[in-house]
């Protein structure tokens, strides 16, 4: 997230909490990717230890993160999120929202085509209101991905990748190709999430990112970070996801 002049919403056990300020958002963005030590946070933010310490204490008091003692060196402290990153404010983008609404004035070729356009309209509608919905969409995708993985046969990693391909094909989510395994690189043609979207200049398939992360987490036992680097919304004729 770009923390400048932004407000982000985080879900806690007590409800939503809004956070702004560049340093706090930088810390939360970092911890949303993975747990970090105090020294890592200081190094990444480029701020003084005393400044980082104040911000961490504020975030801890708000129940947004948890602090733990390092198992190897008890003098060190580690931090992780105890909240979920839900959404962030952004400049309203309404052009492609109204474009997506125009699609509903014509007849759809199939039920899949209809629901694909509904999905795109929902996403564009949030953006039109100045809401970056991608964090919560990715979290939901990850939760769904973990449940999908429960339906897979108990095979090895490569068997599971074949089941991903079959699942996407069966439910018309796209045509999956495993381009590489080191690092894991997945190409999707006819992507359900974005094929109906206009060219926006940036990847938008956060739901697919989340589903793939959830599936990989479930089958490997380790948290995976999947990033989309090519997309129909960037003018490509496919989507390309890579494990980073």
């Amino acid at each position: 997230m770009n923390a400048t002049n932004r407000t982000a919403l985080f879900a806690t056990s007590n409800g939503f909490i809004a956070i702004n300020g560049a340093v706090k958002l930088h810390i939360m963005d970092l911890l949303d990717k993975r747990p970090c030590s105090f020294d890592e946070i200081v190094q990444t933010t480029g701020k003084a230890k005393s400044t980082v310490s104040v911000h961490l204490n504020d975030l801890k008091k708000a129940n947004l993160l948890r602090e733990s003692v390092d198992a190897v060196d008890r003098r060190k402290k580690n931090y992780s999120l105890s909240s979920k990153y839900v959404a962030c404010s952004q400049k309203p983008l309404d052009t492609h929202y109204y474009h997506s609404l125009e699609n509903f004035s014509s007849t759809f070729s199939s039920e899949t085509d209809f629901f694909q356009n509904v999905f795109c309209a929902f996403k564009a509608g949030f953006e039109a209101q100045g809401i970056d919905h991608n964090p919560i969409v990715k979290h939901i995708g990850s939760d769904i991905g973990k449940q999908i993985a429960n339906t897979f046969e108990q095979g090895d990693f490569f068997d599971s990748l074949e089941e991903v391909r079959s699942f996407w094909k069966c439910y018309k989510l796209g045509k999956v190709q495993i381009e590489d395994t080191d690092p894991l690189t997945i190409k999707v043609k006819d992507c359900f999430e974005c094929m109906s979207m206009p060219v926006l200049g940036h990847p938008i398939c956060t739901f697919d990112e989340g589903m793939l992360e959830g599936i990989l987490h479930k089958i490997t036992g380790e948290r995976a970070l999947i990033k989309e680097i090519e997309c129909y919304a960037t003018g490509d004729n496919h989507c390309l996801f890579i494990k980073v």
Side-chain angles (χ1 to χ4, degrees), residues 45-112:
T45 60
K47 300 297 180 181
K49 290 185 177 181
S50 57
T51 300
V52 170
S53 182
V54 168
H55 287 298
L56 286 171
N57 284 332
D58 288 345
L59 294 169
K60 188 169 61 173
K61 289 177 182 176
N63 295 320
L64 292 168
L65 55 77
R66 62 176 63 90
E67 179 184 276
S68 61
V69 176
D70 189 272
V72 177
D73 187 346
R74 297 187 63 81
R75 295 171 299 175
K76 296 182 179 180
K77 293 180 179 179
N78 296 322
Y79 296 87
S80 59
L81 287 190
S82 58
S83 56
K84 279 190 176 181
Y85 180 23
V86 175
C88 188
S89 62
Q90 66 174 21
K91 182 179 178 180
L93 303 170
D94 58 9
T95 302
H96 59 281
Y97 174 57
Y98 294 115
H99 174 78
S100 68
L101 293 180
E102 292 173 359
N103 293 336
F104 292 91
S105 300
S106 58
T107 303
F108 295 101
S109 60
S110 65
E111 290 182 355
T112 299

Coordinates of all heavy atoms in Angstrom, one line a residue, residues 45-112:
T45 N 11.8 0.3 7.5 CA 11.2 1.7 7.6 C 12.2 2.8 7.5 O 11.8 3.9 7.1 CB 10.3 1.8 8.9 OG1 11.2 1.7 10.0 CG2 9.2 0.8 9.0
G46 N 13.4 2.5 7.9 CA 14.4 3.6 7.9 C 14.3 4.6 9.0 O 14.8 5.7 8.9
K47 N 13.5 4.3 10.0 CA 13.2 5.2 11.1 C 14.1 4.8 12.3 O 14.6 3.7 12.4 CB 11.8 5.2 11.5 CG 10.8 5.6 10.3 CD 11.1 7.0 9.9 CE 10.2 7.4 8.8 NZ 10.4 8.8 8.3
A48 N 14.2 5.8 13.2 CA 15.0 5.5 14.4 C 14.3 4.5 15.3 O 13.1 4.3 15.3 CB 15.1 6.8 15.2
K49 N 15.1 3.8 16.1 CA 14.5 2.7 16.9 C 13.5 3.3 17.9 O 12.4 2.6 18.1 CB 15.6 2.0 17.7 CG 16.5 1.2 16.9 CD 17.5 0.4 17.8 CE 18.4 -0.5 16.9 NZ 19.4 -1.3 17.8
S50 N 13.7 4.5 18.4 CA 12.8 5.1 19.4 C 11.4 5.4 18.7 O 10.4 5.2 19.2 CB 13.3 6.3 20.0 OG 13.7 7.3 18.9
T51 N 11.5 5.8 17.4 CA 10.3 6.2 16.7 C 9.5 4.9 16.4 O 8.3 4.8 16.5 CB 10.7 6.8 15.3 OG1 11.4 8.1 15.6 CG2 9.4 7.1 14.5
V52 N 10.2 3.8 15.9 CA 9.5 2.6 15.6 C 8.9 2.0 16.9 O 7.8 1.5 16.9 CB 10.5 1.6 15.0 CG1 9.9 0.2 14.9 CG2 11.0 2.1 13.6
S53 N 9.6 2.1 18.0 CA 9.1 1.6 19.3 C 7.8 2.2 19.7 O 6.9 1.6 20.1 CB 10.2 1.8 20.4 OG 9.7 1.2 21.6
V54 N 7.7 3.6 19.5 CA 6.5 4.3 19.8 C 5.3 3.8 19.0 O 4.2 3.5 19.5 CB 6.7 5.8 19.6 CG1 5.3 6.5 19.7 CG2 7.6 6.3 20.7
H55 N 5.5 3.7 17.7 CA 4.5 3.2 16.7 C 4.1 1.8 17.0 O 2.9 1.5 17.0 CB 4.9 3.4 15.3 CG 5.0 4.8 14.8 ND1 3.9 5.6 14.7 CD2 6.0 5.5 14.4 CE1 4.2 6.8 14.3 NE2 5.6 6.8 14.0
L56 N 5.0 0.9 17.3 CA 4.7 -0.5 17.7 C 3.8 -0.5 18.9 O 2.9 -1.3 19.0 CB 6.0 -1.3 17.8 CG 6.7 -1.6 16.5 CD1 8.0 -2.3 16.8 CD2 5.9 -2.6 15.7
N57 N 4.2 0.3 19.9 CA 3.4 0.3 21.2 C 2.0 0.8 20.9 O 1.0 0.2 21.5 CB 4.1 1.2 22.2 CG 5.3 0.5 22.8 OD1 5.4 -0.7 22.9 ND2 6.2 1.3 23.3
D58 N 1.8 1.8 20.1 CA 0.5 2.3 19.7 C -0.3 1.2 19.0 O -1.5 1.0 19.3 CB 0.6 3.5 18.8 CG 1.1 4.7 19.5 OD1 1.1 4.7 20.7 OD2 1.5 5.7 18.8
L59 N 0.3 0.5 18.1 CA -0.4 -0.6 17.3 C -0.7 -1.8 18.2 O -1.8 -2.4 18.1 CB 0.4 -1.0 16.1 CG 0.7 0.1 15.0 CD1 1.7 -0.4 14.1 CD2 -0.6 0.4 14.3
K60 N 0.1 -2.0 19.2 CA -0.1 -3.1 20.1 C -1.3 -2.8 21.0 O -2.1 -3.7 21.3 CB 1.2 -3.4 20.9 CG 1.1 -4.7 21.7 CD 2.5 -5.1 22.3 CE 3.1 -3.9 23.1 NZ 4.3 -4.4 23.8
K61 N -1.3 -1.6 21.5 CA -2.4 -1.2 22.4 C -3.8 -1.2 21.7 O -4.8 -1.4 22.3 CB -2.2 0.2 22.9 CG -1.0 0.3 23.9 CD -0.8 1.8 24.3 CE 0.4 1.9 25.3 NZ 0.7 3.3 25.7
A62 N -3.7 -1.0 20.4 CA -5.0 -1.1 19.6 C -5.4 -2.5 19.2 O -6.3 -2.7 18.4 CB -4.8 -0.2 18.3
N63 N -4.6 -3.5 19.7 CA -4.8 -4.9 19.4 C -4.7 -5.2 17.9 O -5.3 -6.1 17.4 CB -6.2 -5.3 19.8 CG -6.4 -5.3 21.3 OD1 -5.5 -5.6 22.1 ND2 -7.5 -4.8 21.8
L64 N -3.8 -4.5 17.2 CA -3.6 -4.7 15.8 C -2.4 -5.6 15.5 O -2.4 -6.2 14.4 CB -3.3 -3.3 15.1 CG -4.5 -2.4 15.0 CD1 -4.0 -1.0 14.6 CD2 -5.6 -2.9 14.1
L65 N -1.5 -5.8 16.5 CA -0.4 -6.7 16.3 C -0.1 -7.3 17.7 O -0.5 -6.9 18.7 CB 0.8 -6.0 15.7 CG 1.4 -4.7 16.3 CD1 2.2 -5.1 17.6 CD2 2.2 -4.0 15.3
R66 N 0.7 -8.4 17.6 CA 1.1 -9.1 18.8 C 2.7 -9.1 18.9 O 3.3 -9.1 17.8 CB 0.6 -10.5 18.9 CG 1.0 -11.4 17.8 CD 0.5 -12.8 18.0 NE -0.9 -12.9 18.0 CZ -1.6 -13.1 16.8 NH1 -1.0 -13.2 15.7 NH2 -2.9 -13.1 16.9
E67 N 3.2 -9.0 20.1 CA 4.6 -9.1 20.3 C 5.0 -10.4 21.0 O 4.3 -10.9 21.9 CB 5.0 -7.9 21.2 CG 6.4 -7.8 21.6 CD 6.7 -6.6 22.6 OE1 6.8 -5.5 22.2 OE2 6.7 -6.9 23.8
S68 N 6.1 -10.9 20.6 CA 6.6 -12.2 21.2 C 8.1 -12.2 21.3 O 8.8 -11.4 20.6 CB 6.2 -13.4 20.3 OG 6.7 -13.3 19.0
V69 N 8.6 -13.0 22.2 CA 10.1 -13.1 22.4 C 10.6 -14.1 21.5 O 10.1 -15.2 21.3 CB 10.3 -13.5 23.9 CG1 11.9 -13.7 24.1 CG2 9.8 -12.4 24.9
D70 N 11.7 -13.7 20.9 CA 12.4 -14.6 19.9 C 12.8 -15.9 20.6 O 13.4 -15.9 21.7 CB 13.6 -13.9 19.3 CG 14.2 -14.7 18.1 OD1 15.1 -15.6 18.4 OD2 13.8 -14.5 17.0
A71 N 12.5 -17.1 20.0 CA 12.8 -18.4 20.6 C 14.3 -18.6 20.7 O 14.7 -19.4 21.6 CB 12.1 -19.5 19.7
V72 N 15.1 -18.1 19.8 CA 16.6 -18.3 19.8 C 17.3 -17.3 20.7 O 18.1 -17.7 21.5 CB 17.1 -18.2 18.4 CG1 18.6 -18.4 18.4 CG2 16.5 -19.3 17.5
D73 N 16.9 -16.0 20.6 CA 17.6 -15.0 21.3 C 16.5 -14.2 22.1 O 15.8 -13.4 21.5 CB 18.3 -14.0 20.4 CG 19.2 -13.0 21.2 OD1 18.9 -12.8 22.4 OD2 20.0 -12.3 20.5
R74 N 16.4 -14.4 23.4 CA 15.3 -13.9 24.2 C 15.4 -12.4 24.4 O 14.5 -11.7 24.9 CB 15.2 -14.6 25.5 CG 14.8 -16.1 25.4 CD 14.5 -16.7 26.8 NE 13.4 -16.1 27.4 CZ 12.1 -16.4 27.2 NH1 11.9 -17.3 26.2 NH2 11.1 -15.8 27.8
R75 N 16.5 -11.8 23.9 CA 16.7 -10.3 24.0 C 15.9 -9.6 22.9 O 15.7 -8.4 22.9 CB 18.2 -10.0 23.9 CG 19.0 -10.4 25.1 CD 20.5 -10.2 24.9 NE 20.9 -11.0 23.7 CZ 22.1 -10.9 23.2 NH1 23.0 -10.1 23.8 NH2 22.5 -11.6 22.2
K76 N 15.6 -10.4 21.8 CA 14.9 -9.9 20.7 C 13.4 -10.1 20.7 O 12.9 -11.0 21.3 CB 15.5 -10.5 19.4 CG 17.0 -10.2 19.2 CD 17.5 -10.9 17.9 CE 18.9 -10.6 17.6 NZ 19.4 -11.2 16.4
K77 N 12.7 -9.1 20.1 CA 11.3 -9.2 20.0 C 10.8 -9.4 18.5 O 11.4 -8.8 17.6 CB 10.6 -8.0 20.6 CG 10.8 -7.9 22.1 CD 10.2 -6.6 22.7 CE 10.4 -6.5 24.2 NZ 9.8 -5.3 24.7
N78 N 9.8 -10.2 18.3 CA 9.2 -10.4 17.0 C 7.8 -9.9 17.0 O 7.1 -9.9 18.1 CB 9.2 -11.9 16.6 CG 10.6 -12.4 16.5 OD1 11.5 -11.7 16.0 ND2 10.9 -13.6 16.9
Y79 N 7.3 -9.5 15.9 CA 5.9 -8.9 15.7 C 5.2 -9.6 14.6 O 5.7 -9.9 13.6 CB 6.0 -7.4 15.5 CG 6.6 -6.7 16.7 CD1 8.0 -6.5 16.8 CD2 5.8 -6.2 17.7 CE1 8.6 -5.8 17.9 CE2 6.4 -5.5 18.8 CZ 7.7 -5.4 18.9 OH 8.3 -4.7 20.0
S80 N 3.9 -9.8 14.8 CA 3.0 -10.3 13.8 C 1.6 -9.7 13.9 O 1.3 -9.1 15.0 CB 2.9 -11.8 13.9 OG 2.4 -12.2 15.2
L81 N 0.8 -9.8 12.9 CA -0.5 -9.2 12.9 C -1.4 -10.0 13.8 O -1.4 -11.2 13.8 CB -1.1 -9.1 11.5 CG -0.5 -8.0 10.6 CD1 -1.4 -7.9 9.3 CD2 -0.4 -6.6 11.2
S82 N -2.3 -9.3 14.6 CA -3.4 -10.0 15.3 C -4.7 -9.4 14.7 O -5.7 -9.6 15.3 CB -3.3 -9.7 16.8 OG -3.3 -8.3 17.0
S83 N -4.6 -8.8 13.6 CA -5.8 -8.2 12.9 C -5.7 -8.5 11.4 O -4.7 -9.1 10.9 CB -5.8 -6.7 13.1 OG -4.6 -6.1 12.6
K84 N -6.8 -8.2 10.7 CA -6.8 -8.5 9.2 C -6.9 -7.1 8.5 O -7.7 -6.3 8.8 CB -8.0 -9.3 8.8 CG -7.8 -10.8 9.0 CD -8.9 -11.6 8.4 CE -8.6 -13.1 8.5 NZ -9.7 -13.9 7.9
Y85 N -6.0 -7.0 7.5 CA -6.0 -5.8 6.7 C -7.2 -5.9 5.8 O -7.3 -6.8 5.0 CB -4.7 -5.7 5.9 CG -4.6 -4.6 5.0 CD1 -5.3 -3.4 5.1 CD2 -3.6 -4.7 3.9 CE1 -5.1 -2.3 4.2 CE2 -3.4 -3.6 3.0 CZ -4.2 -2.4 3.2 OH -4.0 -1.4 2.3
V86 N -8.2 -5.0 5.9 CA -9.5 -5.1 5.2 C -9.5 -4.2 3.9 O -9.8 -4.7 2.8 CB -10.6 -4.7 6.1 CG1 -11.9 -4.7 5.3 CG2 -10.7 -5.6 7.3
A87 N -9.2 -3.0 4.0 CA -9.3 -2.1 2.9 C -8.5 -0.8 3.1 O -8.1 -0.5 4.3 CB -10.7 -1.7 2.6
C88 N -8.3 -0.1 2.1 CA -7.5 1.2 2.1 C -8.2 2.2 1.2 O -8.8 1.9 0.2 CB -6.1 0.9 1.7 SG -5.0 2.3 1.9
S89 N -8.1 3.5 1.6 CA -8.7 4.5 0.8 C -7.8 4.8 -0.4 O -6.6 4.5 -0.4 CB -8.8 5.8 1.6 OG -7.5 6.3 2.0
Q90 N -8.4 5.2 -1.5 CA -7.7 5.5 -2.7 C -8.4 6.6 -3.5 O -9.6 6.9 -3.1 CB -7.5 4.3 -3.6 CG -8.8 3.7 -4.1 CD -8.7 2.6 -5.1 OE1 -7.6 1.9 -5.1 NE2 -9.7 2.4 -5.9
K91 N -7.8 7.1 -4.5 CA -8.6 8.0 -5.4 C -9.7 7.3 -6.1 O -9.4 6.2 -6.7 CB -7.6 8.6 -6.4 CG -8.2 9.7 -7.3 CD -7.2 10.2 -8.3 CE -7.9 11.2 -9.2 NZ -6.9 11.8 -10.2
P92 N -10.9 7.8 -6.1 CA -12.0 7.1 -6.7 C -11.8 6.9 -8.2 O -11.3 7.8 -8.9 CB -13.2 8.1 -6.5 CG -12.9 8.8 -5.3 CD -11.4 9.0 -5.4
L93 N -12.0 5.7 -8.7 CA -11.9 5.3 -10.1 C -13.2 4.8 -10.6 O -13.5 3.6 -10.3 CB -10.8 4.2 -10.2 CG -9.4 4.6 -9.7 CD1 -8.5 3.4 -9.7 CD2 -8.7 5.7 -10.5
D94 N -14.0 5.6 -11.3 CA -15.3 5.2 -11.6 C -15.5 4.9 -13.1 O -16.6 4.4 -13.5 CB -16.3 6.2 -11.2 CG -16.1 7.6 -11.7 OD1 -15.2 7.7 -12.6 OD2 -16.8 8.5 -11.3
T95 N -14.5 5.2 -14.0 CA -14.7 5.0 -15.4 C -15.1 3.6 -15.8 O -16.1 3.3 -16.5 CB -13.5 5.4 -16.2 OG1 -13.2 6.8 -15.9 CG2 -13.7 5.3 -17.7
H96 N -14.3 2.6 -15.3 CA -14.6 1.2 -15.7 C -15.8 0.6 -14.9 O -16.3 -0.4 -15.3 CB -13.3 0.3 -15.6 CG -12.7 0.2 -14.3 ND1 -11.9 1.2 -13.7 CD2 -12.8 -0.7 -13.3 CE1 -11.5 0.9 -12.5 NE2 -12.0 -0.3 -12.3
Y97 N -16.2 1.3 -13.8 CA -17.4 0.8 -13.2 C -18.6 1.1 -14.0 O -19.4 0.2 -14.3 CB -17.5 1.6 -11.8 CG -18.8 1.3 -11.1 CD1 -19.2 0.0 -10.8 CD2 -19.7 2.3 -10.8 CE1 -20.4 -0.3 -10.2 CE2 -20.9 2.0 -10.1 CZ -21.2 0.7 -9.8 OH -22.4 0.4 -9.2
Y98 N -18.7 2.3 -14.6 CA -19.8 2.6 -15.5 C -19.8 1.8 -16.8 O -20.8 1.4 -17.3 CB -19.9 4.1 -15.7 CG -20.2 4.9 -14.5 CD1 -19.3 5.8 -14.0 CD2 -21.4 4.7 -13.8 CE1 -19.5 6.5 -12.8 CE2 -21.7 5.4 -12.6 CZ -20.7 6.3 -12.1 OH -21.0 7.0 -11.0
H99 N -18.6 1.5 -17.2 CA -18.4 0.7 -18.4 C -18.9 -0.7 -18.1 O -19.6 -1.3 -18.9 CB -16.9 0.6 -18.8 CG -16.6 -0.4 -19.9 ND1 -16.9 -0.1 -21.2 CD2 -16.1 -1.6 -19.8 CE1 -16.5 -1.1 -21.9 NE2 -16.0 -2.1 -21.1
S100 N -18.6 -1.2 -16.9 CA -19.1 -2.6 -16.5 C -20.6 -2.6 -16.4 O -21.2 -3.7 -16.7 CB -18.4 -3.1 -15.2 OG -18.9 -2.3 -14.1
L101 N -21.2 -1.5 -16.0 CA -22.7 -1.5 -15.9 C -23.3 -1.6 -17.2 O -24.4 -2.2 -17.4 CB -23.1 -0.2 -15.1 CG -22.8 -0.1 -13.7 CD1 -23.3 1.2 -13.1 CD2 -23.3 -1.3 -12.9
E102 N -22.7 -1.0 -18.2 CA -23.2 -1.0 -19.6 C -23.4 -2.4 -20.1 O -24.2 -2.7 -21.0 CB -22.3 -0.2 -20.5 CG -22.4 1.3 -20.2 CD -21.4 2.1 -21.0 OE1 -20.6 1.5 -21.8 OE2 -21.3 3.3 -20.9
N103 N -22.5 -3.3 -19.6 CA -22.6 -4.7 -20.1 C -23.9 -5.4 -19.8 O -24.4 -6.3 -20.4 CB -21.5 -5.6 -19.5 CG -20.1 -5.1 -20.0 OD1 -20.0 -4.6 -21.1 ND2 -19.1 -5.4 -19.2
F104 N -24.6 -4.9 -18.7 CA -25.9 -5.5 -18.3 C -27.1 -5.0 -19.2 O -28.2 -5.5 -18.9 CB -26.1 -5.2 -16.8 CG -25.1 -5.9 -15.9 CD1 -24.0 -5.2 -15.5 CD2 -25.4 -7.2 -15.5 CE1 -23.1 -5.8 -14.7 CE2 -24.4 -7.8 -14.6 CZ -23.3 -7.1 -14.3
S105 N -26.8 -4.2 -20.1 CA -27.8 -3.8 -21.1 C -28.0 -4.7 -22.3 O -28.8 -4.6 -23.1 CB -27.5 -2.4 -21.6 OG -27.5 -1.4 -20.6
S106 N -27.1 -5.7 -22.3 CA -27.1 -6.7 -23.4 C -27.3 -8.1 -22.9 O -27.3 -8.3 -21.6 CB -25.7 -6.6 -24.2 OG -24.6 -6.9 -23.3
T107 N -27.5 -9.0 -23.7 CA -27.7 -10.4 -23.3 C -26.4 -11.1 -23.2 O -25.5 -11.0 -24.0 CB -28.5 -11.2 -24.4 OG1 -29.8 -10.5 -24.6 CG2 -28.8 -12.6 -24.0
F108 N -26.3 -11.9 -22.1 CA -25.0 -12.7 -21.8 C -25.1 -14.0 -22.5 O -26.1 -14.6 -22.7 CB -24.8 -12.8 -20.3 CG -24.6 -11.5 -19.6 CD1 -25.7 -10.9 -18.9 CD2 -23.4 -10.9 -19.6 CE1 -25.5 -9.7 -18.2 CE2 -23.2 -9.7 -19.0 CZ -24.3 -9.1 -18.3
S109 N -23.9 -14.5 -22.9 CA -23.8 -15.7 -23.6 C -24.0 -17.0 -22.8 O -24.4 -18.0 -23.3 CB -22.5 -15.8 -24.3 OG -21.4 -15.8 -23.4
S110 N -23.9 -16.8 -21.4 CA -24.0 -18.0 -20.5 C -24.1 -17.5 -19.1 O -23.9 -16.3 -18.8 CB -22.8 -18.9 -20.6 OG -21.6 -18.2 -20.2
E111 N -24.5 -18.4 -18.2 CA -24.6 -18.0 -16.8 C -23.2 -17.6 -16.3 O -23.0 -16.7 -15.5 CB -25.1 -19.2 -16.0 CG -26.5 -19.5 -16.2 CD -27.0 -20.7 -15.3 OE1 -26.1 -21.3 -14.7 OE2 -28.2 -21.0 -15.4
T112 N -22.2 -18.3 -16.8 CA -20.8 -18.0 -16.4 C -20.4 -16.5 -16.8 O -19.9 -15.8 -16.0 CB -19.8 -19.0 -17.0 OG1 -20.1 -20.3 -16.6 CG2 -18.4 -18.6 -16.6

